[in-house]
Amino acid sequence: MATQPLLAARKPSFWRAFLPFWITLLWGSMLLSRDYHIRHAALTRLAVQVTVEGKQPEEEISVEVNGKRQDLYLPVPIGFAKIRVYAQDCESEVRDRFVWYGVTDLGSMDLARSRGSIAASVVPSPDSYELKGKRGNWTNATGFFAEVPVGRYELVGRFGSLIEQAKVEVTRNQTNRVEVAAKIGSLELSAGPVEGEFDLVFNESNEHRVGKFPSKYARLPVGGYRLIAKRPGYERELKLDVRRNETNRFLVKFVFGSAEITTTPAGATILWAQTEKGTTPLTLTNLVPGTYRMEARLEGYDSRNRLVTVEEDAPAKVALALVNTRYREAMESAHQSLDRNQNGRAAKYLEAALVAQPGDAEATKLLPRARARGSQELAELYAQRGNFDAALTELSAALIDLPNDAAITALQEKYRAARVETDQKSLEARYGALMAKAKFEAGRQYFDTALALLGDAKKIAPDKAEIAEWESAFRKDQVKWKAEMAEKERQDQFTAAWEEALNGENDRVTFGQQNWKTSKSVAEVKAALERIGSADAASRVSEFTSGSEDVFTAKLGKLVPFVGIGNYVRIGVMKYEEGNTQIVLKVFGYVFGKESATSPDHNVERLNKRAEKLRADLIKQLGTDVK
């Protein structure tokens, strides 16, 4: 067999010629496939439209891929997968799918809710059962509810207008049994006697039920009730309880009571529950047991109020002692006065109390001491005023009520001694007053009165030597005074004659008057004028016309010497006030006819100078200025 040459074995073929190309192409394809996978695998998702029994789900929807929780917004592994969609309280749905790049749409899924059953038993049996919840409401008469969606419900048992409620829960594929004891009881009401009506009030809701005896209530709420039982003229309120799952029986007895009422004194008007019933003594019958307000009224006595409890087994006995109104007021005032130590006033009130209620023990006991202490207080007041006779009289009255009382006896001795001392002082004071008044009356020149007062003083103190001395002095002064009065009478007669002479038919004042004043007394001015004129002059007339300084003395019946035509001065003196004596100087022009040839000189300047000279003489005599 022939052998081929070596070079012939290495003869290049087409595939061999492009081997590098093929290798490069393979690696490039692999790289492109990897890049594609990476980019598109990240975008691989699941999509599904889920409803729950045909409605939009309220629950959160969950997805599992091959047994692992898968969020729909995260990438899903590529390949064959077991996909489960589920929600709380719902049955899940499983689908097998091949997952490829992009969105794998699972389509629509309608999940069924999980279900269970309720077997309810309410004692006593209600009229109907009701199951209420978010998933729906069911009603029946048996209390068994099948194929109920899982969840929490409220079970309601209805007893007419009453209900009993309980919370229940339905679990998946189970029958949940519920037993409830309702808060309901029954009530049978009866009365003796049978006739009567009632008002039954439930305390919790204030619901009223009105009926007649006897009555039955099969279904009532458990709790406390008020039963108001009524018959004509009778009403009473009772309390009762309705207990659970029991037939509560209650018997109402219409029973009556009575009341026996007496007062001291009798004859009081009785108001029973604000209704007038009669006067005491009084017996009231056919009273409904209970508590009543009673009032007793009697003219002149305080009203009395009392709460009276009437029971069915025994009569209520009421005995009231009425208080005399005047007695009470007097005793209250007496105690107030005693508290204030006003014993005299207290005694008067106690006496008034005994008049209103004779023989009262308290007033009788208090009166003697109050009266005695009141007399003692009054005696002390009299003694303060110096009336010891009245004080001793009051103390004697006090000792009648409180014989041998040490305080009163001591005051009695004290005031007796004080009375003796006071009587002596009173006589001395009386003697001094009579003597002072006698001197005063003598100073007023009422000598007869003064001598009579000295006679009274002599009766009080006949041994006083001064009485005779003053009596002698007063008699001397009386003689002197009578002489002065006679002289004054003569001077008054002269003055009247002088005035008549100056104010005759032909007189006329030609020059007015001057008014002076001085601090000297009237007596001192009078003495000074006397020294200027004649010593015994009672009235002075100076003739200024001729410039003569002679002073003439006028005597009764005529002027001596004869007053002729000319100017004359008259001076009057009086006390104006203390330290101020008025001197009035009047100058008259005296004529015997208007046509007289010898008319008085009316030279005012000359007359003023002469008046000034008289004033200067007065200043000299008085030793002080005359203004």
Side-chain angles (χ1 to χ4, degrees):
M1 179 175 179
T3 303
Q4 292 290 333
L6 182 59
L7 289 175
R10 293 178 179 177
K11 185 179 178 178
S13 66
F14 175 78
W15 294 104
R16 289 179 179 174
F18 290 97
L19 182 59
F21 170 76
W22 298 118
I23 293 171
T24 302
L25 180 61
L26 177 60
W27 279 104
S29 298
M30 292 176 64
L31 291 173
L32 287 172
S33 297
R34 180 176 179 276
D35 180 67
Y36 180 87
H37 174 74
I38 291 172
R39 287 187 294 107
H40 287 79
L43 299 175
T44 302
R45 301 285 190 277
L46 292 176
V48 62
Q49 299 293 325
V50 181
T51 57
V52 177
E53 295 187 348
K55 297 180 181 179
Q56 290 296 322
E58 299 175 359
E59 302 83 354
E60 180 183 1
I61 303 300
S62 300
V63 178
E64 287 183 358
V65 177
N66 295 329
K68 294 183 179 180
R69 178 72 179 268
Q70 175 66 47
D71 292 326
L72 295 178
Y73 60 84
L74 295 179
V76 182
I78 296 174
F80 287 97
K82 183 182 288 292
I83 302 171
R84 187 169 76 92
V85 178
Y86 62 94
Q88 184 179 5
D89 296 335
C90 295
E91 300 296 325
S92 62
E93 186 171 335
V94 180
R95 292 187 181 181
D96 294 327
R97 289 291 178 88
F98 182 80
V99 178
W100 189 237
Y101 297 114
V103 177
T104 300
D105 190 356
L106 300 179
S108 297
M109 293 185 183
D110 188 25
L111 302 181
R113 293 191 181 280
S114 299
R115 280 172 162 73
S117 300
I118 291 291
S121 176
V122 178
V123 180
S125 298
D127 297 334
S128 65
Y129 291 90
E130 183 178 2
L131 190 66
K132 300 191 295 183
K134 293 175 60 178
R135 309 301 181 199
N137 293 347
W138 295 267
T139 302
N140 60 40
T142 63
F144 182 78
F145 299 90
E147 294 298 317
V148 178
V150 171
R152 291 183 174 86
Y153 294 85
E154 183 177 48
L155 178 66
V156 179
R158 296 190 178 277
F159 303 84
S161 61
L162 304 178
I163 62 172
E164 185 69 32
Q165 297 173 307
K167 302 292 183 181
V168 297
E169 185 172 359
V170 177
T171 55
R172 184 173 180 269
N173 296 329
Q174 293 186 13
T175 298
N176 298 277
R177 299 187 179 279
V178 180
E179 293 184 358
V180 178
K183 297 177 181 178
I184 293 173
S186 60
L187 178 63
E188 294 183 1
L189 294 174
S190 59
V194 176
E195 297 82 3
E197 300 177 347
F198 64 84
D199 187 359
L200 185 64
V201 184
F202 184 36
N203 293 338
E204 185 174 333
S205 64
N206 206 35
E207 180 182 358
H208 288 248
R209 292 175 174 82
V210 178
K212 296 182 178 181
F213 296 106
S215 289
K216 294 182 179 180
Y217 293 94
R219 297 167 178 174
L220 288 176
V222 171
Y225 289 79
R226 289 183 293 119
L227 179 66
I228 303 170
K230 304 175 184 178
R231 291 191 68 191
Y234 186 109
E235 180 175 317
R236 65 182 302 191
E237 183 174 316
L238 303 168
K239 296 180 180 180
L240 59 88
D241 291 320
V242 173
R243 293 179 291 276
R244 179 184 297 183
N245 294 332
E246 290 186 22
T247 298
N248 300 271
R249 294 177 175 84
F250 197 83
L251 173 63
V252 178
K253 293 182 180 180
F254 288 103
V255 294
F256 296 89
S258 62
E260 298 176 359
I261 307 167
T262 59
T263 61
T264 305
T269 300
I270 299 301
L271 276 71
W272 186 270
Q274 298 182 343
T275 301
E276 186 173 326
K277 294 295 186 180
T279 58
T280 58
L282 180 67
T283 299
L284 301 177
T285 58
N286 295 326
L287 298 177
V288 178
T291 300
Y292 296 83
R293 180 175 293 279
M294 186 201 79
E295 182 180 359
R297 296 178 180 175
L298 182 61
E299 182 72 24
Y301 290 80
D302 291 348
S303 297
R304 291 288 303 275
N305 290 280
R306 177 73 63 85
L307 290 177
V308 182
T309 300
V310 176
E311 299 177 350
E312 60 186 63
D313 54 350
K317 295 187 177 182
V318 183
L320 295 178
L322 302 181
V323 177
N324 186 288
T325 302
R326 288 186 299 163
Y327 166 79
R328 176 185 56 77
E329 293 174 348
M331 289 300 292
E332 289 175 354
S333 299
H335 282 294
Q336 291 175 1
S337 299
L338 289 173
D339 292 340
R340 297 169 184 166
N341 289 323
Q342 298 172 343
N343 293 282
R345 180 174 295 181
K348 292 181 180 179
Y349 287 129
L350 290 169
E351 290 170 354
L354 286 171
V355 171
Q357 192 162 313
D360 178 71
E362 183 182 7
T364 302
K365 179 181 178 181
L366 293 175
L367 178 59
R369 184 175 183 82
R371 189 162 51 199
R373 295 306 177 200
S375 295
Q376 181 180 343
E377 292 169 359
L378 191 56
E380 292 173 352
L381 180 61
Y382 281 136
Q384 290 175 4
R385 297 174 179 174
N387 190 348
F388 292 102
D389 288 334
L392 289 168
T393 301
E394 292 296 332
L395 291 177
S396 297
L399 286 173
I400 295 174
D401 288 311
L402 291 180
N404 303 320
D405 183 84
I408 298 175
T409 303
L411 280 178
Q412 195 176 46
E413 295 300 324
K414 177 182 176 181
Y415 293 163
R416 282 173 179 168
R419 181 174 62 178
V420 172
E421 182 180 352
T422 301
D423 289 346
Q424 184 60 35
K425 289 181 178 180
S426 176
L427 289 175
E428 293 177 358
R430 173 67 176 161
Y431 171 79
L434 289 171
M435 292 299 293
K437 191 171 183 182
K439 295 173 185 178
F440 174 74
E441 295 297 336
R444 296 171 61 198
Q445 298 176 342
Y446 294 164
F447 295 102
D448 291 338
T449 303
L451 290 169
L453 290 170
L454 286 177
D456 293 338
K458 191 173 183 179
K459 293 177 183 179
I460 296 173
D463 298 332
K464 289 281 188 180
E466 67 171 346
I467 297 177
E469 296 175 0
W470 281 106
E471 186 177 20
S472 175
F474 290 168
R475 292 190 184 283
K476 290 179 181 179
D477 290 341
Q478 187 180 34
V479 171
K480 182 180 178 181
W481 173 74
K482 287 182 177 180
E484 290 175 351
M485 289 299 101
E487 179 63 24
K488 183 176 183 300
E489 184 178 0
R490 289 192 295 271
Q491 291 178 4
D492 289 342
Q493 291 174 352
F494 160 75
T495 301
W498 170 240
E499 291 292 342
E500 184 179 359
L502 289 180
N503 293 319
E505 181 180 356
N506 298 315
D507 298 346
R508 60 189 177 95
V509 176
T510 60
F511 184 68
Q513 70 181 33
Q514 291 193 21
N515 297 309
W516 301 335
K517 65 179 179 178
T518 178
S519 60
K520 294 297 184 177
S521 66
V522 172
E524 289 172 321
V525 174
K526 181 179 178 182
L529 288 171
E530 289 174 348
R531 288 193 294 273
I532 294 172
S534 61
D536 58 350
S539 299
R540 273 148 246 88
V541 178
S542 293
E543 200 277 311
F544 276 5
T545 303
S546 61
S548 170
E549 296 181 7
D550 296 335
V551 176
F552 301 90
T553 299
K555 292 186 178 181
L556 182 61
K558 62 179 180 178
L559 296 177
V560 180
F562 176 75
V563 177
I565 296 172
N567 294 308
Y568 300 86
V569 66
R570 181 169 182 180
I571 299 172
V573 183
M574 70 173 181
K575 180 180 178 181
Y576 181 70
E577 59 185 9
E578 193 66 36
N580 184 359
T581 299
Q582 294 282 349
I583 303 171
V584 180
L585 180 144
K586 290 185 178 181
V587 178
F588 300 88
Y590 190 72
V591 298
F592 289 102
K594 295 181 180 179
E595 305 301 329
S596 175
T598 58
S599 298
D601 186 357
H602 298 317
N603 190 317
V604 175
E605 182 178 357
R606 185 183 299 113
L607 294 175
N608 281 335
K609 285 181 180 181
R610 292 173 182 170
E612 282 299 318
K613 183 178 183 303
L614 177 58
R615 189 172 75 87
D617 291 341
L618 273 173
I619 292 172
K620 182 178 179 180
Q621 290 293 331
L622 292 172
T624 185
D625 193 13
V626 176
K627 299 180 181 179

